Amino acid sequence: MTEFHFFGPTARLHHVGLAVSSIELAKMNDLEVFEDPIQKVRVGFVNVSGTNLELIEPVSEQSPVHNSIKKGHKLVHLCFELDDLQAGIDLATSYQFKVLQEPTPAVAFQNRRIAWVYHPVWGLYELLERDKADETPSV
């Protein structure tokens, strides 16, 4: 199997983003929901059999997720967590990804920065800055 590092060798899958018309209709008890005014969405995270899923609900018709729901697209993006967000963006652009949104703080990730990149073949990706507090020092 060929291995690619579109976003760098430290990139790890963080979650899969799924569009939903209503988080409440997902019937997930005790789900913590965040409203992100920059992204114009409400999000909640669940773990399904070891995979983190982000349920993404648009808060208005101006939300980028609104059109995904209208078209019947549930899978919105894959999110990769990176040590160096800018290096990941630079590497992605070398693979012909286009930057849709420069790094900006995200409410759902304790204001860690995210960026959005898109490739016509590979689709939409969210890049998430790794929390430096989660890193364990190497010995």
Side-chain angles (χ1 to χ4, degrees):
M1 179 182 306
T2 303
E3 186 172 334
F4 289 95
H5 294 283
F6 290 142
F7 315 119
T10 67
R12 298 293 176 263
L13 182 65
H14 186 269
H15 68 266
V16 175
L18 300 175
V20 296
S21 58
S22 168
I23 289 175
E24 283 73 28
L25 291 178
K27 303 276 189 214
M28 297 291 174
N29 296 335
D30 301 324
L31 182 66
E32 185 175 9
V33 177
F34 302 91
E35 184 159 337
D36 189 331
I38 295 172
Q39 305 297 318
K40 300 178 184 80
V41 294
R42 294 178 66 228
V43 300
F45 292 88
V46 297
N47 187 291
V48 178
S49 299
T51 301
N52 292 320
L53 302 179
E54 177 185 31
L55 303 179
I56 312 164
E57 174 188 328
V59 295
S60 74
E61 289 186 8
Q62 286 70 44
S63 170
V65 177
H66 177 74
N67 285 336
S68 293
I69 291 172
K70 276 179 47 177
K71 294 176 184 175
H73 299 163
K74 294 286 186 191
L75 177 60
V76 175
H77 69 269
L78 299 178
C79 176
F80 281 84
E81 190 175 39
L82 322 168
D83 285 342
D84 185 334
L85 187 58
Q86 189 57 55
I89 292 168
D90 293 344
L91 185 57
T93 58
S94 77
Y95 283 106
Q96 310 307 308
F97 280 81
K98 301 292 183 213
V99 177
L100 300 181
Q101 182 183 34
E102 293 290 338
T104 186
V107 174
F109 303 113
Q110 298 75 45
N111 288 319
R112 286 187 286 157
R113 296 177 312 146
I114 61 170
W116 293 95
V117 295
Y118 176 80
H119 191 281
V121 173
W122 297 101
L124 182 65
Y125 289 81
E126 178 180 24
L127 305 181
L128 170 63
E129 184 172 55
R130 184 166 283 121
D131 186 350
K132 302 297 184 203
D134 288 346
E135 295 178 7
T136 54
S138 56
V139 188

